[in-house]
Amino acid sequence: MAGTRVKARGESALAERFAVFAECLLTGVWIAVASLGVVTYPAAFAAGARHLRRRTAHEGGGWREFAGDFRTALRGGWLAGLAGWAAVAAVWVDVQAARAGIPGGPLAGAVGVVALIGLVVAGLRAAAVWAPGARWRTLLAGAGRRTVLDPAGSFLIVGGLAVVALSAWFAAPLAIAVLGAVAAAAVAVEERYRHR
């Protein structure tokens, strides 16, 4: 039953950590499948992060709970996804202007890329704390503040994103599984920030 405590199985700490790692990889596949709707990626990451929070708290949950969370997060999450793609398009225009040799273009392109990375980190941080009933606008505003106020945590998430990019470059299927590790990193960063 979802939300109920699962009994400790008496496994070693190493076995438990490996189980969490394996759950991250499986969650990455779920996130990738749920993100196929193009604007559904915020809801997919939110559902994945909530699933991983349940797993690390030793609460029950599986694919059905993930799917239920995804449907709930999608209610406002698709707008956040649409806004994210609009930001990507704006940065692409900036980079094209920089490549065209427009005066000040390289600076504008660099600022645009850094701002986009900041928006991605804020989006992941918002998804990491999502819960049913939360409003995406409020989540994103708080996550934006935490992105700036907690640069160490933000850089950890950027490192996770770099691992996804390198995995995609090395072997595309590996990048799909690593998405769950990025969600786990965002959950860990938010938990770390909460306990500071």
Side-chain angles (χ1 to χ4, degrees):
M1 175 184 235
T4 59
R5 289 293 244 188
V6 175
K7 275 189 169 179
R9 295 180 294 223
E11 54 191 24
S12 70
L14 179 63
E16 184 175 338
R17 288 183 183 130
F18 186 75
V20 170
F21 175 69
E23 197 70 32
C24 287
L25 298 180
L26 176 63
T27 303
V29 173
W30 292 352
I31 289 170
V33 170
S35 295
L36 290 176
V38 181
V39 296
T40 59
Y41 64 90
F45 271 98
R50 188 148 190 258
H51 171 73
L52 292 172
R53 287 195 317 261
R54 275 194 300 265
R55 174 61 176 98
T56 57
H58 300 286
E59 295 176 358
W63 170 252
R64 280 191 208 134
E65 288 78 13
F66 173 87
D69 286 340
F70 174 70
R71 283 190 301 274
T72 304
L74 194 55
R75 289 187 189 124
W78 72 270
L79 284 171
L82 190 62
W85 284 114
V88 168
V91 169
W92 183 80
V93 168
D94 262 1
V95 170
Q96 294 308 312
R99 293 178 74 197
I102 294 175
L107 178 62
V111 168
V113 169
V114 169
L116 181 62
I117 291 169
L119 287 172
V120 169
V121 169
L124 286 169
R125 291 184 84 140
V129 297
W130 176 87
R135 296 188 53 190
W136 279 97
R137 180 177 286 201
T138 306
L139 289 173
L140 288 167
R145 284 190 293 278
R146 291 189 305 276
T147 298
V148 173
L149 295 175
D150 181 24
S154 298
F155 282 120
L156 286 171
I157 295 173
V158 170
L161 293 170
V163 168
V164 170
L166 290 172
S167 298
W169 177 70
F170 182 68
L174 184 59
I176 291 170
V178 174
L179 288 174
V182 172
V187 168
V189 163
E190 285 300 309
E191 193 65 21
R192 174 187 154 273
Y193 183 81
R194 193 169 64 86
H195 291 295
R196 283 183 7 170

